[in-house]
Amino acid sequence: MKGSSDVLPAMVTYDVVIDPTSTSAWSGAFLTSGTSSFTAYGVCWSVTNHEPTIADSKTSEPVVLISYTSNLTGLLPNTTYYARAYATNSAGTGYGNVIKFTTGSDQSTAYKTVSTLAGNLTPGFVNGTGTAAMFNSPMGMTTDAAGNIYVSDSYNSAIRKITPAGVVTAVAGTGELGYLDGTAATAKFYSPSGLAIDASGNIFVADRGNNMIRKITPAGVVSTFAGSGNAGYTDGTGTAATFNTPSGVAFDAAGNLYVADYGNNLIRKITSAGIVTTVAGSRAVGYANGQGIAANFNKPSSIAVDAAGNIYVTEPYNNAIRKISADYMVTTLAGGPSATTLVGSPIAISIDAAGNMFIADYDGRILKISAGKILTVLAGKSGITGSTDGDGGNASFNNPQGIASGASGNIYVADFGNNLIRKVNPN
């Protein structure tokens, strides 16, 4: 009988994310078989060979885990490449799927303009217009088709609405933490975080402190959609299910709601009928790719779904953005423990209709990964704290924790430490 070491390695190649200069890129792989005795692995790439091999340009990574990230260097701008992962063991060298990618022009200084839409540096719970309004540690965000922005005003335990003109009102919540369903004016939340709006205009809230998913109808009626209020891990229907500090929510095209269950290190799915299941993660803290519950996460904080049904999850503690395909295979889109500076500490994510991805880096940056997988810094610098508006290269944030793309192309940021809602103008 052949041992596992005699099986040719098989793997899934990660998507390629291109550096702002377009002279380097990041990829990697998750090994699915032939892993017991592999001696080398990395990523190979070529301009001319549509199925590159280790005879072409390649990286070579220290063989430690069954997943890895690689930095492809020496690339040319505005050039199409073909890349795929490889691994070698006693049976030979196996290859992953081929990724075709095209570099762009140098966008390392392509900063955008930052302004303050609403709030001032003083924490409070005051409605009004622009800087006359007050927030207290805003977190999750979403937008509607009319261009309104909705904010989880976390320490006020309230959901706020901001019009495109900057007029701030309260959607639900009294300003006092607690748990109470009912009318918007009397309902209570406990440190709400992620927000998502369904096709009927209902707002769904990741109510972190209450370990629940709450629902706000367009008429302003608040109810509990899922979760018992107890911190725990139970799949089930509605209030029979339990969560542990749910932090992010996002809908797919079929109306299923996905939840980043922060305290359980899981990704959960809730159908329109309220049936809760676990689709990825094992509850163990870690960083491991794999199929569904074979994968490990470390405090997933935010979640988004693209038009193809792929799920993207931010993990600030793993310095990674993870990708979950429609069959629940978990891989890494960008970053990871071996590439900690690429996306920093990504804590929130939003995807626009064109497939562009926007990321709030808790360390102080606002990032974009275009539909073509080119990474750019829109505003801010890692490790620089402040509240400066203006050119993105000089702008500063204080632990941004929420992000949402608007219909007009503007990007909105919940600037947690500054108690502000900022706007990044892509033009």
Side-chain angles (χ1 to χ4, degrees):
M1 273 178 79
K2 287 187 177 182
S4 60
S5 61
D6 297 319
V7 177
L8 199 67
M11 68 219 71
V12 177
T13 307
Y14 296 164
D15 287 339
V16 174
V17 174
I18 304 163
D19 182 85
T21 65
S22 279
T23 59
S24 69
W26 295 84
S27 183
F30 164 62
L31 278 292
T32 58
S33 67
T35 61
S36 64
S37 65
F38 51 84
T39 56
Y41 57 34
V43 177
C44 50
W45 71 93
S46 173
V47 172
T48 57
N49 187 357
H50 291 198
E51 294 186 340
T53 70
I54 55 175
D56 297 302
S57 299
K58 72 177 187 297
T59 64
S60 182
E61 303 300 329
V63 176
V64 180
L65 303 171
I66 62 170
S67 61
Y68 59 90
T69 301
S70 275
N71 186 201
L72 289 60
T73 60
L75 305 180
L76 298 174
N78 302 306
T79 304
T80 297
Y81 289 89
Y82 302 87
R84 61 177 173 172
Y86 74 88
T88 301
N89 67 5
S90 59
T93 299
Y95 295 94
N97 51 299
V98 175
I99 303 292
K100 179 182 177 181
F101 68 98
T102 302
T103 57
S105 56
D106 186 349
Q107 299 184 56
S108 56
T109 59
Y111 295 112
K112 305 304 179 183
T113 303
V114 179
S115 60
T116 297
L117 177 67
N120 56 69
L121 297 175
T122 304
F125 186 46
V126 177
N127 291 322
T129 301
T131 56
M134 298 172 73
F135 298 84
N136 193 347
S137 304
M139 293 185 72
M141 305 182 79
T142 192
T143 57
D144 65 17
N148 298 300
I149 306 105
Y150 297 86
V151 180
S152 280
D153 194 2
S154 181
Y155 287 13
N156 281 324
S157 294
I159 310 304
R160 313 285 290 279
K161 174 183 175 181
I162 312 172
T163 69
V167 179
V168 180
T169 54
V171 175
T174 65
E176 298 179 357
L177 64 86
Y179 167 65
L180 184 65
D181 286 336
T183 65
T186 61
K188 292 184 179 182
F189 301 84
Y190 190 164
S191 189
S193 181
L195 298 175
I197 299 178
D198 70 9
S200 300
N202 299 296
I203 303 170
F204 289 77
V205 183
D207 193 357
R208 285 167 54 100
N210 282 320
N211 302 298
M212 293 175 167
I213 308 301
R214 311 284 290 282
K215 175 182 176 181
I216 309 171
T217 69
V221 178
V222 179
S223 60
T224 300
F225 184 57
S228 69
N230 297 317
Y233 166 60
T234 307
D235 286 337
T237 300
T239 57
T242 56
F243 299 86
N244 188 350
T245 323
S247 295
V249 286
F251 279 102
D252 68 10
N256 298 301
L257 184 68
Y258 290 90
V259 180
D261 195 356
Y262 181 92
N264 279 323
N265 304 301
L266 298 174
I267 306 305
R268 316 284 289 278
K269 173 184 174 181
I270 313 176
T271 68
S272 57
I275 301 171
V276 180
T277 55
T278 299
V279 299
S282 67
R283 297 190 70 198
V285 176
Y287 175 73
N289 290 316
Q291 190 78 41
I293 60 174
N296 291 337
F297 297 87
N298 188 355
K299 302 294 188 291
S301 59
S302 180
I303 194 165
V305 183
D306 69 14
N310 297 301
I311 304 165
Y312 298 89
V313 180
T314 57
E315 285 183 288
Y317 291 102
N318 276 332
N319 306 106
I321 299 170
R322 310 286 284 281
K323 177 183 177 181
I324 308 173
S325 61
D327 62 354
Y328 303 132
M329 172 61 78
V330 180
T331 57
T332 300
L333 174 72
S338 63
T340 58
T341 61
L342 184 62
V343 288
S345 299
I347 197 164
I349 189 169
S350 177
I351 300 175
D352 69 13
N356 299 302
M357 185 179 299
F358 302 93
I359 301 108
D361 173 6
Y362 188 78
D363 296 334
R365 299 181 300 169
I366 307 304
L367 310 175
K368 174 183 177 181
I369 299 177
S370 70
K373 298 298 188 294
I374 297 176
L375 171 69
T376 53
V377 180
L378 300 183
K381 292 187 177 178
S382 183
I384 303 297
T385 299
S387 59
T388 303
D389 285 334
D391 176 75
N394 299 314
S396 55
F397 301 85
N398 188 355
N399 301 138
Q401 289 205 30
I403 196 163
S405 54
S408 62
N410 292 311
I411 309 305
Y412 301 97
V413 179
D415 196 355
F416 179 86
N418 282 326
N419 304 302
L420 300 176
I421 306 304
R422 315 284 291 279
K423 181 171 78 171
V424 182
N425 187 331
N427 300 317

